[in-house]
């Protein structure tokens, strides 16, 4: 969704309140999802905010991260969970991971995930990870996520998660349907 000046309007989801704990089980430095600028059942754009720099290894090991920041890599995967907010999904496979540039842990990232296919309890996504200037850092093809369990339905859904939830549930109830749900507050664009 875009504002009148063309900039992205953040999705009304507070990661610390609405995601980490009720939906995402991650702790400590593995909580870098900072918000979403786009969120649907089959597509999301998430901001990954760098944590304070910390050593990943003991002083006797090299500090260089060969494939990038582990927390940012994990966040790229768990950022997709909000697209399927009523079922716990875990990664089981990836067809191709292309690292074009290993970025320092200190830079913010943007993850754009798009569902390519769903086969029963498995969801196949393609991802692009960019820096804040839009430079492509990584490309993931065929990330396969498997739904392993239903999650408890909250008493009240955070408004940003309601659209993906309704879209997924209708798709499950009306098998073979391809619909899009858009929810807006107060009738404003």
């Amino acid at each position: 969704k875009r504002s009148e000046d063309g900039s992205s309007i953040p999705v009304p989801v507070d990661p610390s309140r609405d995601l980490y704990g009720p939906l995402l089980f991650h702790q400590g430095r593995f909580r870098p999802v900072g918000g979403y600028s786009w969120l649907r059942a089959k597509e999301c754009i998430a901001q990954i905010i760098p944590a304070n720099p910390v050593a990943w290894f003991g002083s006797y090991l090299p500090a260089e991260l060969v494939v990038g920041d582990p927390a940012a890599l994990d966040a790229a995967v768990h950022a997709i969970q909000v697209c399927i907010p009523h079922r716990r999904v875990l990664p089981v496979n990836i067809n191709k991971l292309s690292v074009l540039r290993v970025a320092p842990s200190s830079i913010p990232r943007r993850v754009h995930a798009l569902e390519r296919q769903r086969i029963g309890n498995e969801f196949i996504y393609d991802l692009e990870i960019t820096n804040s200037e839009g430079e492509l850092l990584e490309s993931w093809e065929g990330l396969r996520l498997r739904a392993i369990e239903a999650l408890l339905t909250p008493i009240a859904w955070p408004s940003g998660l309601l659209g993906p939830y309704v879209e997924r549930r209708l798709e499950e109830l009306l098998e073979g349907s391809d619909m899009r749900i858009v929810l807006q507050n107060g009738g404003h664009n």
Side-chain angles (χ1 to χ4, degrees):
K1 189 172 173 183
R2 301 227 175 252
S3 66
E4 291 177 10
D5 67 0
S7 60
S8 292
I9 297 173
V11 174
V13 172
D14 177 353
S16 63
R17 181 191 66 228
D18 301 330
L19 303 182
Y20 290 112
L23 185 59
L24 302 171
F25 54 81
H26 304 78
Q27 298 293 319
R29 62 176 136 178
F30 285 95
R31 291 182 165 208
V33 173
Y36 290 82
S37 57
W38 182 255
L39 178 54
R40 304 278 300 272
K42 297 182 180 179
E43 182 179 20
C44 69
I45 300 174
Q47 288 70 46
I48 307 300
I49 308 299
N52 293 330
V54 289
W56 283 97
F57 311 110
S59 59
Y60 49 88
L61 294 172
E64 179 184 0
L65 298 171
V66 178
V67 293
D69 182 300
L73 292 170
D74 183 59
V77 175
H78 75 249
I80 299 169
Q81 176 69 66
V82 299
C83 294
I84 313 150
H86 62 300
R87 311 222 16 229
R88 170 94 53 231
V89 295
L90 294 177
V92 293
N93 191 20
I94 187 168
N95 291 340
K96 183 178 179 183
L97 171 62
S98 301
V99 178
L100 294 114
R101 181 172 159 240
V102 176
S105 298
S106 60
I107 70 157
R109 292 163 172 78
R110 186 181 82 149
V111 176
H112 180 198
L114 181 63
E115 184 176 307
R116 179 193 321 168
Q117 186 179 14
R118 178 178 179 185
I119 305 167
N121 283 334
E122 293 195 351
F123 305 84
I124 302 168
Y125 275 81
D126 293 330
L127 286 79
E128 287 188 342
I129 302 173
T130 60
N131 63 17
S132 55
E133 287 81 42
E135 178 186 8
L136 184 62
L137 303 174
E138 299 175 28
S139 173
W140 302 23
E141 295 176 30
L143 173 64
R144 188 177 295 260
L145 304 168
R146 182 173 295 145
I148 59 163
E149 65 183 351
L151 294 171
L152 293 176
T153 303
I155 293 170
W157 281 95
S159 62
L161 297 181
L162 191 55
Y165 171 71
V166 170
E167 199 170 311
R168 287 284 180 192
R169 294 299 288 147
L170 286 173
E171 183 182 77
E172 290 170 0
L173 293 170
L174 305 170
E175 193 172 322
S177 66
D178 185 27
M179 61 187 79
R180 304 290 181 256
I181 305 294
V182 177
L183 300 173
Q184 295 177 313
N185 290 336
H188 301 300
N189 290 331

